[in-house]
Amino acid sequence: MNVFRLAGDLVHLLSIITLLLKITATKSCRGVSLKTQELYALVFVTRYLDIFTNFVSLYNTVMKLVFLGTSSGIIYYMRGHRVIKLTYDREQDTFRYLLLVAPSALLALLTTHNYTPLEVLWTFSIYLEAVAILPQLVLLQRTQNIDNLTGNYVFLLGSYRALYILNWIYRFFTEKHYRQWLVWVCGVVQTVIYCDFFYYYILSWQNNEKLALPA
């Protein structure tokens, strides 16, 4: 594992910790898209089914369990916690995520390398992760309710993928025959989706202003 991969994993973990801190400390999930959180849970479940069949390392297994557990916890807070669920922006979080799930499933069936259940589901998770943040970005644009912790969460989530791109570049030049075209393309698409948010996040930080996205 190289430093870019490790940094990406840690930033990804930090993004989730930031979101959990926002929800538990403020007893509010206002500004957080449940649809995005459910999409990420679906990404993790379909990608990490191999946890029962393929042991890579203790680090790998622990990280998979952490992401599965934290995503489930976030959804519980937003759906089941008697106080926090009342703060959910249900009327604004209306992105039809079938528009993301269905194309991802179709592309997985058309482009998977091997037609085994685990491989098809893994391919599906790669496509879905590339676009899973869209309901969150749409919600922030609609409500303009972007507190510091929510803004930091989205920024860290996008930064994790950018660090993974550096990891892929490093591996391309240091490992013979390393090619993952599907992962690379989806990762670049995912990072591009964040670019507009990155621009306004950095601009608000430079000007010491509250983060707001153009409607």
Side-chain angles (χ1 to χ4, degrees), residues 141-162:
Q141 191 175 45
R142 285 176 177 174
T143 63
Q144 295 297 312
N145 182 30
I146 312 176
D147 58 69
N148 288 336
L149 287 174
T150 304
N152 291 340
Y153 158 69
V154 176
F155 180 79
L156 289 168
L157 199 57
S159 298
Y160 125 76
R161 182 49 73 188

Side-chain angles (χ1 to χ4, degrees), residues 14-15 17-26 28 30 32 146-156 197 201 211:
L14 182 58
S15 73
I17 293 172
T18 300
L19 180 58
L20 281 169
L21 178 64
K22 177 249 183 343
I23 292 174
T24 56
T26 65
S28 171
R30 187 163 287 113
V32 179
I146 312 176
D147 58 69
N148 288 336
L149 287 174
T150 304
N152 291 340
Y153 158 69
V154 176
F155 180 79
L156 289 168
F197 176 87
Y201 180 92
L211 175 61

Side-chain angles (χ1 to χ4, degrees), residues 34-149:
L34 175 61
K35 294 184 182 294
T36 280
Q37 298 309 314
E38 290 177 338
L39 287 173
Y40 275 122
L42 183 57
V43 167
F44 295 143
V45 168
T46 53
R47 183 175 301 173
Y48 297 152
L49 285 173
D50 67 346
I51 197 172
F52 301 106
T53 60
N54 184 28
F55 178 80
V56 177
S57 66
L58 179 61
Y59 171 85
N60 183 271
T61 300
V62 168
M63 291 298 282
K64 288 177 178 179
L65 291 173
V66 167
F67 289 133
L68 287 166
T70 52
S71 64
S72 300
I74 290 167
I75 292 171
Y76 160 72
Y77 278 125
M78 297 185 70
R79 281 194 176 275
H81 192 280
R82 62 185 180 85
V83 175
I84 294 173
K85 69 179 182 180
L86 299 177
T87 65
Y88 170 47
D89 296 310
R90 189 180 307 276
E91 292 75 17
Q92 299 293 332
D93 191 24
T94 57
F95 195 104
R96 296 183 180 180
Y97 48 25
L98 184 61
L99 297 176
L100 304 178
V101 173
S104 297
L106 179 60
L107 285 170
L109 290 171
L110 293 174
T111 63
T112 186
H113 290 294
N114 297 305
Y115 283 94
T116 62
L118 286 181
E119 186 66 23
V120 172
L121 289 172
W122 179 86
T123 306
F124 166 75
S125 77
I126 297 298
Y127 284 120
L128 186 60
E129 186 183 12
V131 294
I133 195 62
L134 283 173
Q136 178 65 67
L137 295 176
V138 170
L139 176 63
L140 294 181
Q141 191 175 45
R142 285 176 177 174
T143 63
Q144 295 297 312
N145 182 30
I146 312 176
D147 58 69
N148 288 336
L149 287 174

